[in-house]
Amino acid sequence: QLRGEDLMNPLKSIPGTIISGFVLAIVIAVYDQSDVTNAMWSITVWLHVFFGVIWIGLLYYFNFVQVPAVGQALADGDPGPAAINKYVAPKALWWFRWGALLTWLTGAAALEASPLWSMHSAFTLQSGSEIIGIGAWLGTIMLFNVWGLIWPNQKRILGIVKATDVQIAKGKVI
């Protein structure tokens, strides 16, 4: 819990730090740009990178920290994966899936605000848009993977959706 003097420093809380960073990014983008269109594009790209860092950072967390830790906890039998699966994983997965969606949405907005590309030119891989288009397609596939494969399976594994051990192993839900 924050004390009175801590409330004056926004960097003493996660929401305060995020809001401060966002406000600073807007100030820098507006100050640095000669017109509103460039400033909006800069802010959109900043948000795209911000949400991308959340999304991909959590992906590394799952692959390098959580999955091996749960495996080790299962092998130990004590304390088991309960703490991670009950408290950490649902919160991390919330940030993971919404980070994925917000990364995709801000990427789409950045394409539309860009002086070089558009959503149409990127997704149809028009001349000069091939590389950004491949990135847009990969991001779209990854977004569907998060929401259509990873999240439904994690709900079964974490017990958010009822499933037997056999159904979890086969990827089937009651």
Side-chain angles (χ1 to χ4, degrees), residues 90-132:
K91 185 175 279 194
L93 285 163
W94 186 93
W95 282 99
F96 180 69
R97 62 183 194 277
W98 289 103
L101 180 62
L102 291 169
T103 300
W104 193 91
L105 290 173
T106 54
L111 281 173
E112 282 304 309
S114 169
L116 302 174
W117 310 292
S118 68
M119 287 275 292
H120 180 265
S121 70
F123 278 99
T124 57
L125 302 174
Q126 291 180 8
S127 180
S129 300
E130 298 91 350
I131 293 176
I132 199 78

Side-chain angles (χ1 to χ4, degrees), residues 42-59:
S42 294
I43 291 166
T44 305
V45 170
W46 184 90
L47 286 171
H48 179 65
V49 170
F50 173 77
F51 291 121
V53 167
I54 289 173
W55 180 18
I56 300 306
L58 283 166
L59 180 64

Side-chain angles (χ1 to χ4, degrees), residues 106-166:
T106 54
L111 281 173
E112 282 304 309
S114 169
L116 302 174
W117 310 292
S118 68
M119 287 275 292
H120 180 265
S121 70
F123 278 99
T124 57
L125 302 174
Q126 291 180 8
S127 180
S129 300
E130 298 91 350
I131 293 176
I132 199 78
I134 291 169
W137 275 110
L138 288 173
T140 301
I141 292 165
M142 290 165 53
L143 174 68
F144 283 114
N145 184 41
V146 167
W147 282 90
L149 296 174
I150 295 172
W151 177 232
N153 285 314
Q154 286 297 321
K155 286 192 291 187
R156 290 189 283 277
I157 292 167
L158 296 174
I160 296 169
V161 172
K162 285 188 176 187
T164 66
D165 289 343
V166 172

